[in-house]
Amino acid sequence: MQPTLTTGAEGLEIRWADGTVGAFPYIWLRDTDPAGFHPKTGERTFDLTTVPLDVRPREARVTPEALLVTWEGQVEPSRFDLDWIKTHRPGQRRHDPADIAPVAWRAELGGAGVPRHEADGIATSDTALARWLADTKRYGLSIVTGLADTTEAGLAVARRVGHLRETNFGLTFEVVSKPDPNNLAYTSDALPLHTDLTNQELPPGYQFLHCLANEARGGGSTFCDGVAVARDLRARDPEAFEVLSTVTVPFRFHDRHTDIRSRKTVIALDTRGEVSEICFNAHLADILDLDPGIMTPFYRAYRLLMEMTRDPAYGIALRLGAGEMVVFDNRRVLHGREAFDPATGFRHLHGCYVDRGEWDSRIRVLAREQG
Amino acid sequence: MQPTLTTGAEGLEIRWADGTVGAFPYIWLRDTDPAGFHPKTGERTFDLTTVPLDVRPREARVTPEALLVTWEGQVEPSRFDLDWIKTHRPGQRRHDPADIAPVAWRAELGGAGVPRHEADGIATSDTALARWLADTKRYGLSIVTGLADTTEAGLAVARRVGHLRETNFGLTFEVVSKPDPNNLAYTSDALPLHTDLTNQELPPGYQFLHCLANEARGGGSTFCDGVAVARDLRARDPEAFEVLSTVTVPFRFHDRHTDIRSRKTVIALDTRGEVSEICFNAHLADILDLDPGIMTPFYRAYRLLMEMTRDPAYGIALRLGAGEMVVFDNRRVLHGREAFDPATGFRHLHGCYVDRGEWDSRIRVLAREQG
């Protein structure tokens, strides 16, 4: 059945047979005319300033396939495919294959519950790559297995997603105990659960830690899901959640060559109000400069979140072996490690980052190929 | 004169001879004890969960140089240098050498008013480098002169600041007219004023465009200061400013290999409510998906901003010559170009980005060296 069209003063309305109603302001229709996009680049070439804000059609009609709108002073009508305009109607968010809802997990997941994917499959099959990308995004964490014993093997997996995110620690980094560390990761100390580089305006997204050797006593890897912790905090103590998602605090890393600072909330929410990010790193939290009045409520909330991250109800432990690589969303999943004794053996992880933007882009491009 | 100390239930107060008063919650003092920071990395090693939220001192006193606080159950007092604690008192933002206020500029600046700096000085002198960094941040724009006729010459200037920001267009890019463009920049069309890569979660910060050849007719570069335009919009039409700084809109770039999307406001404000960023790119603005009710107010505000960016009151034009490089804050200063006729000669710009974080870091490190 052909949809019905009603024209009004500022826009027109289309009512489909299934009950869907779309309200289309005329200015939106003019700006969205498919003819106003570059045939090769897909970018908008139409210039909004060439029409008045109150642009009106001379005629508008629907055929079984299309909405046709003829503008004042124009001969050829703008043609909108009816299915297309239905899915793109104002107020309707565009479908996004990368919009994968996080599955919040707690200690019950266990090391055994972490999704595991073969490096070979990721390297050779787009289907396997797409599955791994989706799984890792859903849980914020996965293990890639069967890697060759070279630093290049881990990077090759990362580059299947996109280009690496360089930071002041380089394009890639070695997690080993170093004699003159500029960072606690480069000691043999235990590292409580944290997210990396919270001092950056955009902390790196997915982190890849390829285990090349783990012979030292200790040195297990620990993880907890920041989304699970933050959601539980929201239910348990809304006031603390409010403080952590609205008060910005200073983060800083500085060494001989750099001094990188950023202010941000510990919990970030997306436009829908859902937890989208955790910035939690006590080492990089700068001297707190909050107003004295908010200082105590902030410490209360922050300390509560810190205790929750250490609660055995949330954490899982993994002991990575050579040839395994853990991959996790650094802006969601907190990571840490047990102390290790460098005298008992070598521990060597090789790391890099790929940002969330590249991750999601790869998911979308693969979804396109797979229909 | 020695400052006076008053202890209270939840914190202590110090009153300096110059009238400065600092209110120091006990939990802040405990968390900020200089002994709780790693001697080599400077990172906080103190673990907040090891003390109760209502931690109290057994004794607190001031000497002419220091505040000494002895905690319950501890022998050695926490020692705070009095000058240090004065500058770091709660509510007082930490001094930041990179906190350089933007000088908003309009057409009166003219091409001749754009700060110009010699590549040689930047390469060889930290003082010249620091001056150029500050100038470029202040105006959002500068020209580096005297570059050698190689793509490497421009990159060397960028690398004096920090590592390059890679994007889906590569680590560096060539702006030339191409036969099969995936981007309007790679055509010979005019480009209206815009900011680059608004479809990225973090659009690139400083952009470097090194002119290697500009022999074609046309092809001048145009710029306008987004901070000036946004501030004037705020004064002229607060409602439009409100819409553009609160309503998030979708941006998208997609080609064969990528599909990168991000939602953001056209105008972003910092924590002080000042304009910190402009995201303005009509080509990359995706089909607008706003609710029908906000669509017309948004188009009104957006179209007004667009018209302001084209107003001759704001724009300046530059004709770059070979050996010159324009450097600008892509998140503040809009750039564009006149159309050119590729039949009349070659036009070749070589570009790269360095993010704001690296820029500010370099300013801070140089300020440290220069006292």
Side-chain angles (χ1 to χ4, degrees), chain A residues 192-355:
Chain A
L193 290 155
H194 66 281
T195 63
D196 275 5
L197 278 68
T198 55
N199 63 307
Q200 301 252 359
E201 183 171 5
L202 185 77
Y206 287 83
Q207 179 164 176
F208 296 71
L209 286 175
H210 177 196
C211 181
L212 290 153
N214 198 5
E215 294 140 14
R217 196 171 306 142
S221 300
T222 55
F223 297 91
C224 91
D225 183 1
V227 163
V229 172
R231 285 185 184 169
D232 289 357
L233 177 70
R234 189 175 217 168
R236 174 177 160 179
D237 194 328
E239 207 177 301
F241 184 88
E242 170 76 13
V243 167
L244 295 177
S245 59
T246 56
V247 176
T248 64
V249 294
F251 291 95
R252 182 184 190 195
F253 174 85
H254 55 120
D255 64 6
R256 270 188 62 201
H257 307 291
T258 59
D259 184 347
I260 301 180
R261 310 180 193 179
S262 185
R263 277 196 94 78
K264 50 192 51 165
T265 59
V266 173
I267 297 172
L269 308 180
D270 63 20
T271 51
R272 292 174 283 210
E274 296 294 328
V275 174
S276 61
E277 179 166 3
I278 305 290
C279 264
F280 187 81
N281 192 315
H283 307 314
L284 299 181
D286 200 359
I287 310 294
L288 281 186
D289 58 2
L290 309 179
D291 286 333
I294 191 70
M295 200 68 94
T296 306
F298 178 82
Y299 269 109
R300 191 187 76 79
Y302 181 64
R303 190 173 177 285
L304 176 56
L305 180 73
M306 192 179 288
E307 285 182 324
M308 286 176 74
T309 65
R310 315 250 182 109
D311 185 330
Y314 293 104
I316 63 167
L318 296 175
R319 192 171 165 86
L320 290 177
E324 291 184 330
M325 178 163 73
V326 63
V327 183
F328 56 96
D329 181 352
N330 174 59
R331 295 165 64 189
R332 168 182 169 187
V333 167
L334 288 72
H335 66 289
R337 70 150 181 254
E338 301 159 4
F340 62 94
D341 180 355
T344 56
F346 194 48
R347 182 180 190 274
H348 179 195
L349 303 180
H350 188 253
C352 68
Y353 303 106
V354 172
D355 274 332

Side-chain angles (χ1 to χ4, degrees), chain B residues 147-148 150-159 164 208 210 325 350 352:
Chain B
L147 287 160
T150 65
T151 55
E152 194 42 52
L155 302 184
V157 173
R159 290 205 174 95
L164 307 187
F208 297 70
H210 176 195
M325 178 164 71
H350 188 253
C352 68

Side-chain angles (χ1 to χ4, degrees), chain A residues 31-47, chain B residues 168-169 180-187 189-192 194-199 251-255 260 280-287 337:
Chain A
D31 187 44
T32 307
D33 177 355
F37 292 79
H38 194 278
K40 282 196 170 161
T41 72
E43 293 169 274
R44 183 187 279 97
T45 51
F46 173 67
D47 188 331
Chain B
N168 55 298
F169 295 103
D180 186 26
N182 66 346
N183 181 310
L184 290 173
Y186 302 152
T187 65
D189 296 347
L191 289 177
H194 65 281
T195 62
D196 274 4
L197 277 70
T198 55
N199 64 307
F251 291 96
R252 181 184 190 194
F253 174 85
H254 55 121
D255 64 7
I260 301 180
F280 187 82
N281 193 314
H283 306 313
L284 299 180
D286 200 359
I287 310 292
R337 72 152 180 250

Side-chain angles (χ1 to χ4, degrees), chain A residues 131-142 206 327 359:
Chain A
R131 268 197 221 120
W132 168 64
L133 290 168
D135 242 13
T136 309
K137 178 153 187 179
R138 196 171 290 118
Y139 289 89
L141 175 69
S142 69
Y206 287 83
V327 183
W359 195 278

Side-chain angles (χ1 to χ4, degrees), chain B residues 174-239:
Chain B
E174 311 280 342
V175 186
V176 285
S177 172
K178 294 181 186 180
D180 186 26
N182 66 346
N183 181 310
L184 290 173
Y186 302 152
T187 65
S188 59
D189 296 347
L191 289 177
L193 290 155
H194 65 281
T195 62
D196 274 4
L197 277 70
T198 55
N199 64 307
Q200 300 253 358
E201 183 171 5
L202 186 76
Y206 288 84
Q207 179 164 175
F208 297 70
L209 285 176
H210 176 195
C211 180
L212 289 154
N214 199 4
E215 294 141 14
R217 194 170 309 143
S221 300
T222 55
F223 297 92
C224 91
D225 183 1
V227 163
V229 172
R231 284 185 185 169
D232 289 355
L233 177 70
R234 190 176 218 167
R236 172 176 162 181
D237 195 327
E239 206 176 301

Side-chain angles (χ1 to χ4, degrees), chain A residues 28 31 44 47 51 91 94 184 201 252 259 283 285 288 290 299 303 310 331 361 364 368, chain B residues 28 31 43-44 47 51 91 94 184 201 252 255 259 283 285 288 290 299 303 310 331 361 364:
Chain A
W28 181 90
D31 187 44
R44 183 187 279 97
D47 188 331
V51 297
R94 179 185 275 258
L184 290 172
E201 183 171 5
R252 182 184 190 195
D259 184 347
H283 307 314
L288 281 186
L290 309 179
Y299 269 109
R303 190 173 177 285
R310 315 250 182 109
R331 295 165 64 189
S361 174
R364 292 181 192 118
R368 193 197 291 170
Chain B
W28 181 89
D31 186 43
E43 293 169 275
R44 183 187 279 96
D47 189 331
V51 298
R94 178 186 277 256
L184 290 173
E201 183 171 5
R252 181 184 190 194
D255 64 7
D259 184 347
H283 306 313
L288 281 187
L290 308 179
Y299 268 109
R303 189 173 177 286
R310 314 247 182 111
R331 293 165 65 190
S361 174
R364 293 182 191 116

